[in-house]
Amino acid sequence: MIRLEGVTRRYGEKTAVDELSFEVAEGEVCVLIGPSGCGKTTTLRMINRLIEPTGGRILIEGRDIMSLPVEELRRGLGYVIQSIGLFPHLTVAGNISVVPRLLGWDKARMAARADELLRLVGLPPEAYRDKYPRQLSGGEAQRVGVARALAADPPVLLMDEPFGAVDPLNRERLQTEFARIQRELRKTVIFVTHDIDEAIRLADKIAIMRDGKLQQFASPEELLNHPANKFVHDFVGADRALKRLVRVKVSDVMRSPATVFANAGEIGFREAAGRRRFTYVLEPDGRLLGWIDTHDLDQGLSAEEAITLVDAGEASVGPDTSLRDALSRMLGLGFRSIAVTDDGCRLIGEVTFSSVEAAMAEGDEHIAAPAEADAG
Amino acid sequence: MALVGAVVALAGATVLPFVELRPNRLVPGAMHGFAAAGPWAFAVWALVAMGFTAAFLRGVKARLVAGSVSAIGIVAALSWALGSAADTLLAGQAPVSRVSMGAGVWVMLAGAAILGFAGQERTHRVLWRLVAAAVVLVALFGAFHLGGLERISLVREFEVRASSFWGLLGNHLALASAGVGLGVMFGVPLGLLATRNRRARGVVLGVTGVIQTVPSLALLGLLIVPLSALSQAVPALRAIGVHGIGAAPGLVALTLYALLPVVRNTYVGLSGVDPAAVDAGLGMGMSRGQLLMRVEFPLALPLIIEGVRTASVLLIGITTLTAFAGARNLGVLIIEGLGQFAPDLILLGALPTIMLAVAADSALSAVGRAVTPEGVRT
Ligand SMILES: Nc1ncnc2c1ncn2[C@@H]1O[C@H](COP(=O)(O)OP(=O)(O)OP(=O)(O)O)[C@@H](O)[C@H]1O
Ligand SMILES: [Mg+2]
């Protein structure tokens, strides 16, 4: 889909991007990462021709970008710039509608599209469409920037540190949302960051750069398991095993736990637990109510008293949660396992400490590899 | 601020001479204090006292209202006080004797202006201003026709010149507007050029800056020679009225003076546009022209209008000087007044000039506010 061949950009003596070659397949997220000043932004801006390469060429769907009219090229490449750059004199809806207006859409269609995109990025249209950029928080502005880039449904998104200006908590929320949106839209995305966790979380492919040169171009798993050189090794960091867990989803390793309905009584509870100490207790409709510790029954507590009620939102994780988040939740609660529930709080499985351990050790087998899965 | 205004107004209404009674329009005469205004003096004093209380009121709104009412009241009462003084002093005098306004009048007006404008920063209520203007106009009209204001020397000068006055005023406005118009026509593109090209920036900003330092009279004088030559050489130009003397050198000079504020504000406005917005616009596929019309100009427009406002006020004043080069406008009255040592004739030229400048100033301020996009209002 997007192919860079020996792309080079010089500024006088300095070579900002040096013989860069890689290819991003349709629907993939390619993350460009590296230390500040390594040429990420320059690379991105050469793709939409805000900067002209001094050497090499860039092909999109097999066509050299230099052969396309520049405005037409750019309208096919949604661009989220590093500093957001919303137009201060336009409302949120006006900002989102900039490209549709250039394309001559009619008013109703533009308004409908703006609302649709606001909903997509998690901002209620009624509350946000008529606001001005100065009335938005940094995170809201980032979202509007993303919505604006998506407005005319371009097949490609170029995103330059789109979550750079956001605090860590909101950054993680935005990343999760981005992953969700991307699952829905399947854009071809080139995403710049210098946050390795963000890269591992979101990327299908990571291009890691240093001083304008490509150091390694690989899937996150490959990068974690087989760093190409010392620079990549050091950049990825010492906690590679932990980072690997980011790529594993709870649903990949969860297993069915012992369960029992709340009205089963003591005999029923003991039967369900079998040799195990703990059993999840469910409501008749399958929703998680709590758990039973058989030791409590042994101590003479009645069946009702022995049930430890839980708040499903607190003490369980969703199937799409990363294993690392599940692990940190377990550590936080002091449990050796955690329930997995679906959107309706129904119990669908459980993840245990030992399965996390296993994933950490022999991670590769469990690692989701969407790129390869797509190809096969 | 209100306190300062009240003190100034009080000075005008007490210690300073109010009017001057002169045997005829050219020779000096005897000064008379504010007591000459008779009962109207008490009205003015009461209003000045109200100005003082405005300074000590608690609520912002109360202060604003008291200050404004006092300011408008002083102006209105003053017109009646003047008329009354003229009636009293001229009774039994020869028809050629004149009553001219003294320093006290001007100082009271200044005090009222300070009182009126203190706090106006916070409210730009157009309605309020219109009401104020209407009250003052009605008072003036009344004082003029019923209160003896028409016997003031300034009015007598006007009566003598009534036939030519409006023509001069119209010319004045036309010449200044033409200068501003041409200044915008050349200045905005030059300002744009300055943002686009670094080498052009130095030249454009430098040259327009230097023009501003040339004294107006010198510039007019310097223009006469080349314009005469041009008019001699090109008959077509002569046919449309280009001569070394008259409106042509004036218009050229005015256009040149308008350039600096317009060019500089256009440059500052355009280069002040957030580079990230420019980047985003280009990155989304806007052409340079679309970027200019949809992003850069809308954001720079308030500053450009601000430049036009500065240029307009400047040009309305400088236009009086073009009378020296033969242009016929309010400057003619001032020059004649100077020649005859007739202070009230000078005033007849100067006061309307000031009023034009003030009107242009507030009109263009309003335009500037109107074109400020809601999203960038503070
Ligand atoms: N217009 C320019 N003139 C000269 N050098 C430039 C120019 N633009 C970029 N560079 C240099 O090129 C190198 C790469 O810059 P680039 O903006 O691509 O870095 P980056 O990887 O995006 O960094 P960051 O993470 O800080 O955004 C830097 O060393 C920078 O100094
Ligand atoms: Mg960058």
Side-chain angles (χ1 to χ4, degrees), chain A residues 35-42 44-45 82 160-161 192-194:
Chain A
S36 196
C38 70
K40 306 180 293 292
T41 298
T42 308
L44 206 65
R45 289 163 68 85
Q82 195 160 355
D160 199 347
E161 302 197 27
V192 168
T193 181
H194 46 225

Side-chain angles (χ1 to χ4, degrees), chain A residues 45 48 50 70-71 74-75 77 79 81 83-90 95 98-99 101-102 132 134 148-149, chain B residues 274-288 290-291 294-296 298-299 373-378:
Chain A
R45 289 163 68 85
N48 66 12
L50 283 172
V70 65
E71 275 100 34
R74 287 173 185 165
R75 282 172 207 173
L77 306 172
Y79 182 37
I81 71 170
S83 34
I84 314 178
L86 294 182
F87 302 125
H89 60 303
L90 299 180
N95 266 283
V98 164
V99 178
R101 189 166 292 133
L102 292 177
Y132 283 93
R134 70 181 157 93
R148 182 174 67 172
Chain B
D274 181 4
V278 172
D279 222 37
L282 288 177
M284 285 190 297
M286 286 187 179
S287 66
R288 285 264 31 153
Q290 286 167 333
L291 186 73
R294 287 166 199 242
V295 180
E296 293 176 297
L299 287 174
E374 204 185 322
V376 294
R377 276 187 207 163
T378 45

Side-chain angles (χ1 to χ4, degrees), chain B residues 148-163:
Chain B
L149 190 62
E150 96 270 35
R151 306 183 69 174
I152 283 290
S153 177
L154 178 64
V155 180
R156 304 270 287 272
E157 292 290 348
F158 169 73
E159 277 160 0
V160 174
R161 308 261 167 182
S163 57

